[in-house]
Amino acid sequence: MALRRHRLPRFWLAITLGSVAAAIGLGYWWERQLPVRLEQASTSGRLDDCLRYSEQLAALSWLPGRSPFDRGRCLRAKADQLWGQENWSEALRLQRQVINSRAGTPADRERLSRWQRQLRAMAMNRFQAGDLPGALAALTPLGEERKDDGSSMGDDLQEIWNRNRSQLERATLLVKQKRWWEALDSLNRIDHPWWRQQSDPLRQEVKKGLDQLKGKDREHDSHGSLPHTVSGEKLDGLVQRRIAAGMDEWQAFQEACKELGGRVVEAGPESACQRRAP
């Protein structure tokens, strides 16, 4: 009976050691199979299988004497496929894995940088075309659509967008009040191509209003209804010379008025230049 009790631990030890040896043997066998399967999956374009086999190879790194392999080829191929499918976030994630692996090369880092540049350029093109949501979507894979401190590219685009929209809204209100020079000043502060295009009809309305305003000034000078109004013809000539020199219209109007000895006043709903009282 005692002899049997001594034999039992040896029996279980033999089973345990045998299981471990079998597991190790199976690991070695599967590791020899994986490179072949990896190559077949890569050649046939089964990129998901290729990635799965490469991950299994990486998991067997504890086996001594394991031959090196290029896990990066599957990652590169899958990243390229995802990029072509416009799954940019996942493509960038896999490309970063390539860079952080033993397979990473300077060419892989340049590829990642090129993709990032392309996304930023895409965002800018969409933004210039008036597609702010599309621009922010292109920046999302880069983490540049928004940051709490407002330092991202998306934050900058949003600020430019809001500023231009605000200037057009202000100009629209000023046109309703027939404050033509101030409206023109707001329109000239619009520096986004899409918003400038949106402002074209309003700009034409402002131009007509200014032409009418100049005609009224000439009429006032002739009939004396506003004896202190500066000559519209002289004022317009000075304004145009300043504009030609690169000055914005509102500043040109203010300085030309001052040069003629006048001051800018609100003549009803309009901005006018009147001579200072003697």
Side-chain angles (χ1 to χ4, degrees):
M1 192 70 173
L3 180 60
R4 184 177 179 183
R5 284 198 299 270
H6 286 301
R7 286 177 176 174
L8 281 176
R10 293 177 182 176
F11 172 75
W12 290 114
L13 178 62
I15 291 178
T16 301
L17 292 177
S19 298
V20 172
I24 294 175
L26 180 62
Y28 276 116
W29 175 83
W30 185 239
E31 186 194 19
R32 288 194 295 271
Q33 298 299 312
L34 280 175
V36 177
R37 293 172 181 265
L38 181 71
E39 183 66 33
Q40 291 174 344
S42 178
T43 302
S44 61
R46 292 182 288 112
L47 299 180
D48 292 329
D49 290 340
C50 187
L51 284 175
R52 185 171 68 254
Y53 293 144
S54 67
E55 289 169 358
Q56 291 175 7
L57 273 172
L60 293 173
S61 60
W62 54 271
L63 290 173
R66 185 175 61 85
S67 59
F69 63 93
D70 183 9
R71 182 169 180 255
R73 57 183 168 176
C74 298
L75 289 170
R76 290 188 192 95
K78 185 63 178 179
D80 188 62
Q81 181 187 73
L82 291 169
W83 183 263
Q85 296 170 350
E86 298 187 1
N87 189 345
W88 302 311
S89 294
E90 191 65 12
L92 293 177
R93 186 184 70 83
L94 292 184
Q95 190 62 21
R96 291 189 185 100
Q97 285 188 24
V98 176
I99 292 173
N100 294 328
S101 72
R102 293 185 305 160
T105 66
D108 291 318
R109 286 188 286 275
E110 171 55 31
R111 187 188 201 194
L112 178 63
S113 297
R114 184 175 69 254
W115 283 356
Q116 291 170 334
R117 290 194 301 270
Q118 288 176 2
L119 284 176
R120 291 189 180 95
M122 181 187 301
M124 185 56 66
N125 289 336
R126 290 178 174 182
F127 178 68
Q128 297 287 66
D131 183 10
L132 178 62
L136 296 179
L139 292 174
T140 298
L142 303 172
E144 285 289 323
E145 76 284 6
R146 182 182 178 277
K147 290 184 179 178
D148 291 338
D149 62 359
S151 62
S152 73
M153 181 177 176
D155 290 316
D156 292 340
L157 297 184
Q158 186 75 64
E159 192 277 330
I160 294 170
W161 185 269
N162 292 340
R163 186 181 70 242
N164 279 267
R165 180 176 59 192
S166 176
Q167 291 294 344
L168 182 56
E169 290 172 351
R170 180 175 183 271
T172 301
L173 179 61
L174 291 168
V175 165
K176 289 179 180 179
Q177 299 171 353
K178 297 185 178 180
R179 295 163 63 180
W180 306 115
W181 286 106
E182 292 169 89
L184 184 60
D185 179 56
S186 287
L187 290 173
N188 287 335
R189 294 178 187 273
I190 296 176
D191 54 9
H192 185 284
W194 185 82
W195 281 107
R196 287 187 69 86
Q197 185 178 11
Q198 302 307 303
S199 72
D200 282 344
L202 194 64
R203 190 177 294 274
Q204 293 301 317
E205 189 174 350
V206 168
K207 183 178 183 301
K208 291 178 182 178
L210 287 173
D211 290 341
Q212 292 172 2
L213 180 61
K214 294 168 189 174
K216 289 179 182 178
D217 285 342
R218 285 193 290 271
E219 182 180 346
H220 293 328
D221 283 342
S222 300
H223 296 87
S225 58
L226 285 177
H228 298 300
T229 303
V230 171
S231 166
E233 187 175 352
K234 292 180 181 179
L235 178 64
D236 187 54
L238 291 176
V239 169
Q240 294 303 324
R241 282 200 292 272
R242 282 169 168 76
I243 292 174
M247 187 177 295
D248 69 73
E249 282 87 345
W250 178 243
Q251 185 179 359
F253 175 70
Q254 290 177 309
E255 292 197 5
C257 178
K258 184 178 179 181
E259 181 177 335
L260 291 173
R263 60 188 179 90
V264 177
V265 297
E266 296 298 327
E270 303 168 348
S271 297
C273 178
Q274 290 188 355
R275 294 190 185 92
R276 299 180 186 276

